Amino acid sequence: MDRNFSAVYPGSFDPPTNGHLDIITRASNLFPNIIVAVTDNVNKRHTFALQERIDLLRKSTKYFKNVEVLSFSGLLADYLKKINSFVLIRGLRALSDFEYEFQMALMNRKLNKKIETIFLTPDQSYTFLSSSMVKEIAMLGGSAKTFVPKCVELELKKRFRNR
Ligand code: PNS
């Protein structure tokens, strides 16, 4: 087995939150290399463009020596095969996440039988946090300061300034 593999933390990150950063921190302490894989799903409407999401993640993770931010399109299972990885990291905040995550983990394993999904739980202060809630708060004029990295806060302010 290649001991130098990268564990992959995939997601939309639209935008990245402190909850995502918490999971990246935990994963980076567990695995030698982490690839944060940002989905380039053309069927999904994102608030932030792919390159914006990548840039925000790169800024937010610049102090991690073993974290790289990349994008992928198509099936995640195929992407893992392509980069020779078999470990997926997903955050599990609450029981409500479980059904979707369980289904995804099993489907990914069906598509690529080598894949193992590792679930990490963020600090309990992030259990209620999601990108969509953060966007709603910013959109309605609230402050996202305590929920997201500084660069994301500034970008949210710019984005929803005129609403
Ligand atoms: O942060 P999200 O939106 O919960 O991330 C979901 C993501 C991007 C991990 C998932 O939608 C995904 O893997 N998309 C790629 C397409 C794919 O492989 N779909 C089948 C998943 S079982």
Side-chain angles (χ1 to χ4, degrees):
M1 186 204 294
D2 178 7
R3 292 276 166 204
N4 222 8
F5 69 92
S6 295
V8 175
Y9 178 39
S12 309
F13 306 105
D14 188 36
T17 68
N18 289 341
H20 293 128
L21 265 296
D22 180 293
I23 297 294
I24 292 170
T25 307
R26 286 170 204 282
S28 79
N29 289 331
L30 282 173
F31 296 99
N33 301 299
I34 305 294
I35 291 177
V36 179
V38 188
T39 179
D40 182 15
N41 185 350
V42 285
N43 298 322
K44 211 168 158 182
R45 280 184 58 136
H46 296 291
T47 304
F48 292 93
L50 175 67
Q51 195 54 51
E52 290 175 309
R53 289 177 279 138
I54 291 174
D55 291 345
L56 290 171
L57 276 163
R58 286 196 177 141
K59 277 186 202 157
S60 311
T61 58
K62 65 179 175 205
Y63 297 115
F64 292 91
K65 295 246 174 319
N66 60 344
V67 174
E68 195 180 358
V69 180
L70 299 172
S71 68
F72 76 100
S73 53
L75 285 176
L76 185 54
D78 290 343
Y79 177 66
L80 262 78
K81 208 176 281 174
K82 193 173 101 187
I83 62 166
N84 219 5
S85 172
F86 59 97
V87 175
L88 270 180
I89 307 285
R90 290 289 288 173
L92 207 53
R93 290 165 298 189
L95 203 58
S96 49
D97 284 342
F98 182 75
E99 205 165 320
Y100 170 63
E101 294 297 335
F102 186 63
Q103 191 183 10
M104 197 157 74
L106 291 180
M107 182 55 86
N108 277 323
R109 188 190 277 161
K110 193 85 192 160
L111 294 170
N112 172 350
K113 67 179 188 324
K114 284 189 187 156
I115 292 179
E116 296 294 350
T117 303
I118 315 273
F119 294 108
L120 297 177
T121 4
D123 187 273
Q124 61 183 14
S125 56
Y126 299 128
T127 48
F128 58 91
L129 187 54
S130 69
S131 296
S132 43
M133 257 193 193
V134 161
K135 280 186 285 193
E136 188 167 319
I137 290 166
M139 214 181 282
L140 297 173
S143 170
K145 194 175 176 162
T146 51
F147 308 128
V148 293
K150 186 81 195 160
C151 59
V152 176
E153 186 204 346
L154 295 174
E155 215 41 54
L156 283 167
K157 272 191 185 153
K158 259 199 254 168
R159 183 65 49 115
F160 298 119
R161 196 166 28 203
N162 299 322
R163 292 196 179 220

